[in-house]
Amino acid sequence: MVKISAVIITYNEEKNISRCIDSVMAIADDIVIIDSYSKDRTKEICLAKGVRFVEHPFRSHIDQKNFAVTQARYDHVLSLDADEYLSPELTQSILRVKETWSVDAYRMNRLSSYGNKWIKHGSWYPDKKIRLWNKKVGVWGGENPHDRIVLKRGTEVVHLQGDILHRAYKDSRETIEKVQRYSEIFAFENAGKKGSSMPKIFTHTAFAFFKSYFIKRGFLDGFEGLMVAKAESNHVFYKYAKLYEVNRRLLLGKRIIVSRTDNLGDVILTLPLLGYLKATMPEVRISFIGKKYTSAVIDKCIHVDQFLDRDELLADPNLLNEVQADSILFIYPDRELAKMAKRSGIRRRVATGHRWFNWLYCNYRIDFSRVRSRLHESQLNFKLLSPFKMYWDFDLREIANFYGLVPPLQNHNGCLSPSHFNLILHPKSKGSAREWDINHYFALARSLSSDKYRIFITGLAAEGELIRKEQPELFNLPHVTDMTGKLNMDELMSFISQADGLVACSTGVLHLAAALGKFSLGIYSPMKPIHPGRWMPIGRHADYIVLNKNCNGCRQSKVCACINEITPEQVQARLESFASVALSKKYAEY
């Protein structure tokens, strides 16, 4: 007589495990439970039954079951899941096998239930399984979660009478949960290994239902037969649909270039896209193509692995070849770079379909218009991920969590006051935005108490000279410090990160302050597409002021009457509410 080890894997199986153990007591000389750290009474029940109980981390069904076999004391192994048990007829068949073991593997039918009904037709029965074998000739294999015993070539198999009884699905809710869980495992295990397509999803799903319900006569099981056929087709649908999504995502590859070759504010609003890519695909390497002056900011983003200067690439195309990119995303259309990317053999070149040259050089063209869209600029960037089925549904507050900017640490204690609200005013924009009149900035600064505020004027040296011509009195206020032309980009980032707030029109510096989590107040024109709906600062403490009106009269003018209708008193009111909170926190720390 041979001796048999029964091996059972469990996780939170307090409702099933007792029945499973009891069913093998008559035939097993050794019972071992491999548990992946259950949180219910599974361990307590098993120990009370006197079986061996081994805890082992779960990696996959196949790994766990192969580990379970290694724990068996005897070569002849019976393997069951916790929600399975032996029918009396199968128990008698195994007892006879113990007396006259003649082959190395035995097959048996599995009879599964839906609700309280055993399903004897359809795709579920007879569900033939090899579960009793000599472990020297077979191991667990197949694909997760639908594993199977893989035997050595030429191994003889005998079918046993009787059934493994399987308590499969209690109701429709449990059915849906298992379908989702198992299809997820299938997609993960087969990503990049198996193909999927829309025709395949449709035909396989339709055939799964037809086969179960009609060919295998599932209709004879009544309502439960219909539910089983539908569960079969749902499982097929979701496993191939999820595999399709995962495979599309894998098309992006592990080396991605993101190209944004316009201005600083546009670049900063692109950084959340990079954070999302890293969060979704942690192993991805991201290179960023930008203008040279934006490199100081891009280099401080933890999501960027390499900065590429646009001008240097155009001068030496071999620099692009060295990246060996799988994909390139043109957030900002760039004809020269698109042409270069095609010549370099980058397989996936993604851009908007609304630029004629992208039809020549890019093979993934997205149909959307930035000018007509109601989305914010930071949200529009995510549109370029749509071919890869990377779905996002972030509101603007969530997007602020993906910047990943880490400013350089420099000492500004000689300028910044620990007992005042340190406010940066950045009046100019190099002509990239409609500007609030410099006289308004002067009126605002003059109205802010020197007992409460320290004010710093930032900008380029040329912008400082322009301010001195237009409103020289601004720099004469006792609590105002002229910082124009005195800070490079690293120093400006550091300074903003240690100040308390910033006021500006729609500039890169405003978006930089918002990305660093500072109080950032933008002053905007209501004219589309430069209105705050498209360009507002995005951050935990970002805000804006705009008139509630349609503005088109100054479209051809550099001066916007609407933005200048915003009064210094309105801006001061927004500042005061935030400054009061910030100063109360400072005082509490002291």
Side-chain angles (χ1 to χ4, degrees):
M1 177 185 291
V2 300
K3 291 188 175 182
I4 293 176
S5 288
V7 295
I8 305 163
I9 67 170
T10 58
Y11 178 71
N12 290 345
E13 293 286 357
E14 63 180 8
K15 294 181 179 179
N16 295 312
I17 190 59
S18 182
R19 179 179 57 216
C20 180
I21 292 173
D22 289 345
S23 77
V24 299
M25 285 288 191
I27 59 96
D29 304 283
D30 168 43
I31 301 174
V32 57
I33 308 297
I34 308 301
D35 183 79
S36 45
Y37 301 96
S38 292
K39 296 178 174 59
D40 63 0
R41 296 178 57 249
T42 298
K43 182 174 183 179
E44 176 187 338
I45 293 169
C46 292
L47 294 178
K49 293 284 184 181
V51 301
R52 287 194 292 132
F53 190 85
V54 178
E55 292 177 309
H56 186 261
F58 184 90
R59 295 183 179 87
S60 72
H61 288 83
I62 292 173
D63 288 342
Q64 196 77 341
K65 288 185 177 182
N66 276 324
F67 175 78
V69 171
T70 68
Q71 302 303 299
R73 285 177 177 159
Y74 305 112
D75 289 340
H76 303 88
V77 176
L78 172 70
S79 178
L80 293 177
D81 293 336
D83 58 358
E84 299 172 338
Y85 58 102
L86 306 181
S87 69
E89 184 179 9
L90 181 56
T91 300
Q92 292 304 312
S93 295
I94 294 175
L95 286 173
R96 288 192 291 272
V97 165
K98 288 188 69 172
E99 295 290 341
T100 57
W101 188 279
S102 58
V103 298
D104 280 325
Y106 292 89
R107 181 187 296 112
M108 55 214 71
N109 293 339
R110 184 171 71 162
L111 179 62
S112 298
S113 67
Y114 183 93
N116 290 319
K117 184 171 184 176
W118 295 109
I119 305 301
K120 297 183 179 180
H121 306 89
S123 298
W124 278 14
Y125 193 80
D127 184 14
K128 297 179 180 180
K129 304 285 186 184
I130 296 173
R131 291 296 185 84
L132 180 62
W133 77 103
N134 186 331
K135 66 181 182 181
K136 294 180 179 179
V137 301
V139 296
W140 284 101
E143 60 183 31
N144 288 308
H146 302 295
D147 40 54
R148 61 184 177 85
I149 294 297
V150 179
L151 300 171
K152 288 183 179 178
R153 187 185 298 273
T155 301
E156 185 178 354
V157 181
V158 170
H159 190 84
L160 296 179
Q161 296 301 308
D163 298 316
I164 297 174
L165 301 177
H166 176 217
R167 292 291 179 180
Y169 298 140
K170 181 175 65 176
D171 52 27
S172 58
R173 170 180 285 186
E174 187 174 282
T175 302
I176 293 170
E177 290 174 352
K178 286 189 177 181
V179 164
Q180 293 297 330
R181 185 166 69 251
Y182 289 166
S183 60
E184 194 84 20
I185 295 172
F186 173 87
F188 176 79
E189 290 287 328
N190 292 282
K193 303 173 186 175
K194 289 188 175 183
S196 182
S197 64
M198 292 179 65
K200 188 173 187 178
I201 294 168
F202 177 79
T203 55
H204 281 51
T205 300
F207 182 72
F209 181 85
F210 186 80
K211 176 183 177 183
S212 182
Y213 196 65
F214 293 106
I215 297 177
K216 293 201 168 186
R217 300 180 297 166
F219 60 85
L220 295 177
D221 287 312
F223 169 77
E224 289 81 2
L226 175 64
M227 292 299 293
V228 168
K230 189 61 180 173
E232 286 285 301
S233 65
N234 277 346
H235 175 63
V236 171
F237 173 82
Y238 281 110
K239 75 178 188 178
Y240 284 110
K242 291 178 181 180
L243 179 61
Y244 178 77
E245 290 178 332
V246 173
N247 281 346
R248 294 294 294 188
R249 185 175 300 172
L250 290 178
L251 284 176
L252 265 175
K254 295 186 177 182
R255 297 179 299 276
I256 301 173
I257 297 175
V258 175
S259 175
R260 182 98 206 208
T261 54
D262 44 351
N263 296 320
L264 180 63
D266 311 277
V267 166
I268 291 169
L269 291 176
T270 303
L271 299 183
L273 172 68
L274 314 186
Y276 173 72
L277 286 172
K278 284 285 190 176
T280 306
M281 304 183 297
E283 74 285 357
V284 74
R285 176 179 173 82
I286 297 176
S287 301
F288 196 106
I289 301 177
K291 291 182 178 178
K292 188 175 185 61
Y293 91 97
T294 64
S295 64
V297 173
I298 296 169
D299 286 339
K300 303 305 183 297
C301 177
I302 61 174
H303 310 310
V304 177
D305 298 290
Q306 178 186 19
F307 174 78
L308 300 170
D309 181 356
R310 178 184 186 274
D311 292 336
E312 291 180 3
L313 289 177
L314 294 178
D316 184 3
N318 287 326
L319 295 174
L320 189 63
N321 296 332
E322 292 173 1
V323 179
Q324 297 183 325
D326 300 303
S327 303
I328 182 168
L329 307 179
F330 288 100
I331 308 296
Y332 180 75
D334 193 312
R335 183 174 64 177
E336 293 301 320
L337 284 179
K339 183 178 180 180
M340 183 186 298
K342 184 176 181 179
R343 288 180 174 176
S344 297
I346 299 176
R347 295 183 64 183
R348 284 162 287 279
R349 305 174 300 280
V350 190
T352 174
H354 287 228
R355 296 295 179 96
W356 66 267
F357 53 83
N358 286 334
W359 288 82
L360 297 177
Y361 307 124
C362 296
N363 53 356
Y364 288 78
R365 296 175 294 272
I366 319 305
D367 182 19
F368 74 98
S369 170
R370 290 181 182 269
V371 174
R372 293 191 294 270
S373 176
R374 295 182 178 181
L375 293 177
H376 188 272
E377 180 71 11
S378 62
Q379 295 171 317
L380 282 167
N381 297 332
F382 285 82
K383 288 278 190 180
L384 294 183
L385 297 181
S386 57
F388 309 102
K389 305 306 174 189
M390 298 183 70
Y391 300 110
W392 60 275
D393 189 22
F394 305 126
D395 64 27
L396 296 178
R397 289 169 298 181
E398 292 177 293
I399 284 179
N401 297 323
F402 289 101
Y403 280 116
L405 270 182
V406 180
L409 295 177
Q410 298 176 10
N411 189 344
H412 301 286
N413 293 336
C415 297
L416 300 172
S417 169
S419 59
H420 290 75
F421 187 89
N422 297 287
L423 174 66
I424 298 172
L425 300 183
H426 193 86
K428 299 297 181 178
S429 65
K430 292 198 301 182
S432 64
R434 293 297 195 272
E435 295 175 359
W436 201 42
D437 192 89
I438 190 62
N439 293 315
H440 287 343
Y441 280 101
F442 172 65
L444 173 66
R446 188 172 55 184
S447 67
L448 298 176
S449 169
S450 61
D451 293 334
K452 190 174 183 179
Y453 291 90
R454 288 289 182 267
I455 300 174
F456 304 89
I457 311 300
T458 58
L460 300 174
E463 292 173 333
E465 289 300 321
L466 188 59
I467 294 171
R468 290 184 185 89
K469 291 179 181 179
E470 295 176 349
Q471 184 50 265
E473 292 87 353
L474 176 60
F475 293 126
N476 294 329
L477 295 174
H479 57 314
V480 170
T481 301
D482 179 11
M483 303 290 287
T484 58
K486 298 178 181 178
L487 301 172
N488 61 31
M489 188 57 72
D490 272 355
E491 292 167 337
L492 180 61
M493 285 185 67
S494 176
F495 191 74
I496 291 174
S497 70
Q498 296 177 53
D500 299 303
L502 181 143
V503 176
C505 57
S506 182
T507 69
V509 173
L510 175 70
H511 295 295
L512 179 59
L516 292 173
K518 312 309 294 185
F519 173 70
S520 314
L521 183 61
I523 305 173
Y524 280 81
S525 165
M527 182 168 52
K528 295 182 179 180
I530 62 174
H531 65 306
R534 171 81 179 277
W535 292 104
M536 74 176 80
I538 305 302
R540 293 189 300 274
H541 303 298
D543 200 357
Y544 65 89
I545 296 179
V546 67
L547 293 184
N548 185 18
K549 62 179 289 188
N550 292 323
C551 174
N552 285 301
C554 54
R555 190 171 291 276
Q556 304 303 321
S557 171
K558 293 183 178 180
V559 178
C560 178
C562 295
I563 196 172
N564 284 319
E565 286 182 32
I566 297 171
T567 66
E569 290 76 19
Q570 289 175 288
V571 177
Q572 181 184 5
R574 294 283 184 93
L575 273 173
E576 292 286 1
S577 60
F578 189 87
S580 297
V581 175
L583 288 174
S584 65
K585 290 181 179 179
K586 283 190 173 186
Y587 297 151
E589 292 174 358
Y590 295 141

PDB file of all heavy atoms in Angstrom, residues 140-159:
ATOM      1  N   TRP A 140       3.442  21.468 -11.011  1.00  0.00           N
ATOM      2  CA  TRP A 140       2.413  22.414 -11.404  1.00  0.00           C
ATOM      3  C   TRP A 140       2.955  23.360 -12.471  1.00  0.00           C
ATOM      4  O   TRP A 140       4.063  23.867 -12.371  1.00  0.00           O
ATOM      5  CB  TRP A 140       1.930  23.224 -10.204  1.00  0.00           C
ATOM      6  CG  TRP A 140       1.023  22.447  -9.296  1.00  0.00           C
ATOM      7  CD1 TRP A 140       1.346  21.855  -8.122  1.00  0.00           C
ATOM      8  CD2 TRP A 140      -0.363  22.189  -9.513  1.00  0.00           C
ATOM      9  NE1 TRP A 140       0.258  21.227  -7.569  1.00  0.00           N
ATOM     10  CE2 TRP A 140      -0.822  21.413  -8.411  1.00  0.00           C
ATOM     11  CE3 TRP A 140      -1.271  22.511 -10.523  1.00  0.00           C
ATOM     12  CZ2 TRP A 140      -2.140  20.978  -8.294  1.00  0.00           C
ATOM     13  CZ3 TRP A 140      -2.582  22.082 -10.408  1.00  0.00           C
ATOM     14  CH2 TRP A 140      -3.013  21.321  -9.314  1.00  0.00           C
ATOM     15  N   GLY A 141       2.135  23.600 -13.486  1.00  0.00           N
ATOM     16  CA  GLY A 141       2.503  24.511 -14.565  1.00  0.00           C
ATOM     17  C   GLY A 141       1.261  25.169 -15.125  1.00  0.00           C
ATOM     18  O   GLY A 141       0.329  25.474 -14.390  1.00  0.00           O
ATOM     19  N   GLY A 142       1.238  25.376 -16.434  1.00  0.00           N
ATOM     20  CA  GLY A 142       0.105  26.073 -17.045  1.00  0.00           C
ATOM     21  C   GLY A 142       0.277  27.572 -16.910  1.00  0.00           C
ATOM     22  O   GLY A 142       1.385  28.095 -16.955  1.00  0.00           O
ATOM     23  N   GLU A 143      -0.831  28.278 -16.741  1.00  0.00           N
ATOM     24  CA  GLU A 143      -0.785  29.726 -16.582  1.00  0.00           C
ATOM     25  C   GLU A 143      -1.695  30.128 -15.434  1.00  0.00           C
ATOM     26  O   GLU A 143      -2.778  29.577 -15.249  1.00  0.00           O
ATOM     27  CB  GLU A 143      -1.201  30.437 -17.869  1.00  0.00           C
ATOM     28  CG  GLU A 143      -2.605  30.125 -18.336  1.00  0.00           C
ATOM     29  CD  GLU A 143      -2.932  30.789 -19.655  1.00  0.00           C
ATOM     30  OE1 GLU A 143      -2.035  30.994 -20.484  1.00  0.00           O
ATOM     31  OE2 GLU A 143      -4.123  31.099 -19.856  1.00  0.00           O
ATOM     32  N   ASN A 144      -1.217  31.072 -14.639  1.00  0.00           N
ATOM     33  CA  ASN A 144      -2.003  31.556 -13.521  1.00  0.00           C
ATOM     34  C   ASN A 144      -3.224  32.319 -14.029  1.00  0.00           C
ATOM     35  O   ASN A 144      -3.133  33.068 -14.997  1.00  0.00           O
ATOM     36  CB  ASN A 144      -1.143  32.475 -12.642  1.00  0.00           C
ATOM     37  CG  ASN A 144      -0.110  31.702 -11.853  1.00  0.00           C
ATOM     38  OD1 ASN A 144      -0.428  30.746 -11.171  1.00  0.00           O
ATOM     39  ND2 ASN A 144       1.154  32.122 -11.969  1.00  0.00           N
ATOM     40  N   PRO A 145      -4.380  32.172 -13.343  1.00  0.00           N
ATOM     41  CA  PRO A 145      -4.620  31.352 -12.154  1.00  0.00           C
ATOM     42  C   PRO A 145      -5.101  29.946 -12.485  1.00  0.00           C
ATOM     43  O   PRO A 145      -5.460  29.177 -11.593  1.00  0.00           O
ATOM     44  CB  PRO A 145      -5.739  32.139 -11.454  1.00  0.00           C
ATOM     45  CG  PRO A 145      -6.543  32.682 -12.590  1.00  0.00           C
ATOM     46  CD  PRO A 145      -5.550  33.008 -13.679  1.00  0.00           C
ATOM     47  N   HIS A 146      -5.156  29.595 -13.804  1.00  0.00           N
ATOM     48  CA  HIS A 146      -5.687  28.288 -14.206  1.00  0.00           C
ATOM     49  C   HIS A 146      -4.528  27.329 -14.405  1.00  0.00           C
ATOM     50  O   HIS A 146      -4.112  27.015 -15.519  1.00  0.00           O
ATOM     51  CB  HIS A 146      -6.536  28.438 -15.473  1.00  0.00           C
ATOM     52  CG  HIS A 146      -7.670  29.385 -15.298  1.00  0.00           C
ATOM     53  ND1 HIS A 146      -8.713  29.138 -14.427  1.00  0.00           N
ATOM     54  CD2 HIS A 146      -7.917  30.602 -15.841  1.00  0.00           C
ATOM     55  CE1 HIS A 146      -9.565  30.150 -14.461  1.00  0.00           C
ATOM     56  NE2 HIS A 146      -9.101  31.054 -15.298  1.00  0.00           N
ATOM     57  N   ASP A 147      -4.013  26.849 -13.270  1.00  0.00           N
ATOM     58  CA  ASP A 147      -2.849  25.980 -13.276  1.00  0.00           C
ATOM     59  C   ASP A 147      -3.247  24.542 -13.594  1.00  0.00           C
ATOM     60  O   ASP A 147      -4.404  24.154 -13.538  1.00  0.00           O
ATOM     61  CB  ASP A 147      -2.165  26.047 -11.909  1.00  0.00           C
ATOM     62  CG  ASP A 147      -3.188  26.086 -10.780  1.00  0.00           C
ATOM     63  OD1 ASP A 147      -4.054  25.187 -10.725  1.00  0.00           O
ATOM     64  OD2 ASP A 147      -3.153  27.037  -9.979  1.00  0.00           O
ATOM     65  N   ARG A 148      -2.250  23.733 -13.921  1.00  0.00           N
ATOM     66  CA  ARG A 148      -2.470  22.311 -14.207  1.00  0.00           C
ATOM     67  C   ARG A 148      -1.180  21.549 -13.957  1.00  0.00           C
ATOM     68  O   ARG A 148      -0.089  22.137 -13.913  1.00  0.00           O
ATOM     69  CB  ARG A 148      -2.926  22.113 -15.648  1.00  0.00           C
ATOM     70  CG  ARG A 148      -1.924  22.589 -16.692  1.00  0.00           C
ATOM     71  CD  ARG A 148      -2.477  22.456 -18.101  1.00  0.00           C
ATOM     72  NE  ARG A 148      -1.535  22.976 -19.086  1.00  0.00           N
ATOM     73  CZ  ARG A 148      -0.531  22.287 -19.615  1.00  0.00           C
ATOM     74  NH1 ARG A 148      -0.320  21.018 -19.226  1.00  0.00           N
ATOM     75  NH2 ARG A 148       0.276  22.832 -20.507  1.00  0.00           N
ATOM     76  N   ILE A 149      -1.321  20.224 -13.786  1.00  0.00           N
ATOM     77  CA  ILE A 149      -0.153  19.373 -13.600  1.00  0.00           C
ATOM     78  C   ILE A 149       0.479  19.085 -14.954  1.00  0.00           C
ATOM     79  O   ILE A 149      -0.198  18.680 -15.897  1.00  0.00           O
ATOM     80  CB  ILE A 149      -0.545  18.051 -12.905  1.00  0.00           C
ATOM     81  CG1 ILE A 149      -1.022  18.313 -11.478  1.00  0.00           C
ATOM     82  CG2 ILE A 149       0.634  17.081 -12.882  1.00  0.00           C
ATOM     83  CD1 ILE A 149       0.045  18.907 -10.580  1.00  0.00           C
ATOM     84  N   VAL A 150       1.784  19.313 -15.044  1.00  0.00           N
ATOM     85  CA  VAL A 150       2.544  19.024 -16.257  1.00  0.00           C
ATOM     86  C   VAL A 150       3.396  17.783 -15.975  1.00  0.00           C
ATOM     87  O   VAL A 150       4.265  17.804 -15.100  1.00  0.00           O
ATOM     88  CB  VAL A 150       3.436  20.213 -16.659  1.00  0.00           C
ATOM     89  CG1 VAL A 150       4.235  19.877 -17.906  1.00  0.00           C
ATOM     90  CG2 VAL A 150       2.587  21.464 -16.888  1.00  0.00           C
ATOM     91  N   LEU A 151       3.129  16.726 -16.732  1.00  0.00           N
ATOM     92  CA  LEU A 151       3.787  15.445 -16.505  1.00  0.00           C
ATOM     93  C   LEU A 151       4.931  15.228 -17.479  1.00  0.00           C
ATOM     94  O   LEU A 151       4.963  15.818 -18.574  1.00  0.00           O
ATOM     95  CB  LEU A 151       2.777  14.305 -16.663  1.00  0.00           C
ATOM     96  CG  LEU A 151       1.568  14.326 -15.718  1.00  0.00           C
ATOM     97  CD1 LEU A 151       0.565  13.266 -16.139  1.00  0.00           C
ATOM     98  CD2 LEU A 151       2.013  14.095 -14.274  1.00  0.00           C
ATOM     99  N   LYS A 152       5.845  14.382 -17.084  1.00  0.00           N
ATOM    100  CA  LYS A 152       6.910  13.971 -17.995  1.00  0.00           C
ATOM    101  C   LYS A 152       6.300  13.260 -19.194  1.00  0.00           C
ATOM    102  O   LYS A 152       5.274  12.574 -19.079  1.00  0.00           O
ATOM    103  CB  LYS A 152       7.891  13.037 -17.284  1.00  0.00           C
ATOM    104  CG  LYS A 152       8.780  13.719 -16.261  1.00  0.00           C
ATOM    105  CD  LYS A 152       9.773  12.723 -15.657  1.00  0.00           C
ATOM    106  CE  LYS A 152      10.696  13.410 -14.645  1.00  0.00           C
ATOM    107  NZ  LYS A 152      11.629  12.437 -14.030  1.00  0.00           N
ATOM    108  N   ARG A 153       6.940  13.448 -20.342  1.00  0.00           N
ATOM    109  CA  ARG A 153       6.451  12.830 -21.565  1.00  0.00           C
ATOM    110  C   ARG A 153       6.357  11.312 -21.393  1.00  0.00           C
ATOM    111  O   ARG A 153       7.265  10.671 -20.867  1.00  0.00           O
ATOM    112  CB  ARG A 153       7.389  13.166 -22.724  1.00  0.00           C
ATOM    113  CG  ARG A 153       6.874  12.697 -24.092  1.00  0.00           C
ATOM    114  CD  ARG A 153       7.924  12.974 -25.159  1.00  0.00           C
ATOM    115  NE  ARG A 153       8.180  14.394 -25.266  1.00  0.00           N
ATOM    116  CZ  ARG A 153       7.473  15.218 -26.041  1.00  0.00           C
ATOM    117  NH1 ARG A 153       6.460  14.749 -26.748  1.00  0.00           N
ATOM    118  NH2 ARG A 153       7.783  16.508 -26.096  1.00  0.00           N
ATOM    119  N   GLY A 154       5.242  10.744 -21.811  1.00  0.00           N
ATOM    120  CA  GLY A 154       5.055   9.295 -21.758  1.00  0.00           C
ATOM    121  C   GLY A 154       4.433   8.788 -20.473  1.00  0.00           C
ATOM    122  O   GLY A 154       4.197   7.581 -20.334  1.00  0.00           O
ATOM    123  N   THR A 155       4.143   9.704 -19.524  1.00  0.00           N
ATOM    124  CA  THR A 155       3.538   9.268 -18.263  1.00  0.00           C
ATOM    125  C   THR A 155       2.107   8.806 -18.514  1.00  0.00           C
ATOM    126  O   THR A 155       1.296   9.515 -19.117  1.00  0.00           O
ATOM    127  CB  THR A 155       3.519  10.410 -17.237  1.00  0.00           C
ATOM    128  OG1 THR A 155       4.853  10.849 -17.003  1.00  0.00           O
ATOM    129  CG2 THR A 155       2.884   9.959 -15.927  1.00  0.00           C
ATOM    130  N   GLU A 156       1.779   7.606 -18.027  1.00  0.00           N
ATOM    131  CA  GLU A 156       0.431   7.054 -18.213  1.00  0.00           C
ATOM    132  C   GLU A 156      -0.515   7.630 -17.169  1.00  0.00           C
ATOM    133  O   GLU A 156      -0.147   7.798 -16.006  1.00  0.00           O
ATOM    134  CB  GLU A 156       0.470   5.528 -18.094  1.00  0.00           C
ATOM    135  CG  GLU A 156      -0.864   4.867 -18.404  1.00  0.00           C
ATOM    136  CD  GLU A 156      -0.812   3.356 -18.327  1.00  0.00           C
ATOM    137  OE1 GLU A 156       0.298   2.817 -18.140  1.00  0.00           O
ATOM    138  OE2 GLU A 156      -1.879   2.724 -18.432  1.00  0.00           O
ATOM    139  N   VAL A 157      -1.731   7.944 -17.603  1.00  0.00           N
ATOM    140  CA  VAL A 157      -2.727   8.538 -16.731  1.00  0.00           C
ATOM    141  C   VAL A 157      -3.989   7.672 -16.776  1.00  0.00           C
ATOM    142  O   VAL A 157      -4.447   7.288 -17.855  1.00  0.00           O
ATOM    143  CB  VAL A 157      -3.078   9.979 -17.159  1.00  0.00           C
ATOM    144  CG1 VAL A 157      -4.112  10.582 -16.213  1.00  0.00           C
ATOM    145  CG2 VAL A 157      -1.828  10.845 -17.207  1.00  0.00           C
ATOM    146  N   VAL A 158      -4.563   7.405 -15.601  1.00  0.00           N
ATOM    147  CA  VAL A 158      -5.800   6.627 -15.480  1.00  0.00           C
ATOM    148  C   VAL A 158      -6.880   7.504 -14.873  1.00  0.00           C
ATOM    149  O   VAL A 158      -6.615   8.277 -13.941  1.00  0.00           O
ATOM    150  CB  VAL A 158      -5.573   5.362 -14.622  1.00  0.00           C
ATOM    151  CG1 VAL A 158      -6.904   4.682 -14.277  1.00  0.00           C
ATOM    152  CG2 VAL A 158      -4.669   4.379 -15.362  1.00  0.00           C
ATOM    153  N   HIS A 159      -8.102   7.390 -15.412  1.00  0.00           N
ATOM    154  CA  HIS A 159      -9.232   8.170 -14.906  1.00  0.00           C
ATOM    155  C   HIS A 159      -9.918   7.421 -13.770  1.00  0.00           C
ATOM    156  O   HIS A 159     -10.198   6.225 -13.872  1.00  0.00           O
ATOM    157  CB  HIS A 159     -10.232   8.430 -16.025  1.00  0.00           C
ATOM    158  CG  HIS A 159     -11.300   9.411 -15.644  1.00  0.00           C
ATOM    159  ND1 HIS A 159     -11.131  10.769 -15.734  1.00  0.00           N
ATOM    160  CD2 HIS A 159     -12.551   9.223 -15.127  1.00  0.00           C
ATOM    161  CE1 HIS A 159     -12.225  11.384 -15.314  1.00  0.00           C
ATOM    162  NE2 HIS A 159     -13.101  10.460 -14.952  1.00  0.00           N
TER     163      HIS A 159
END
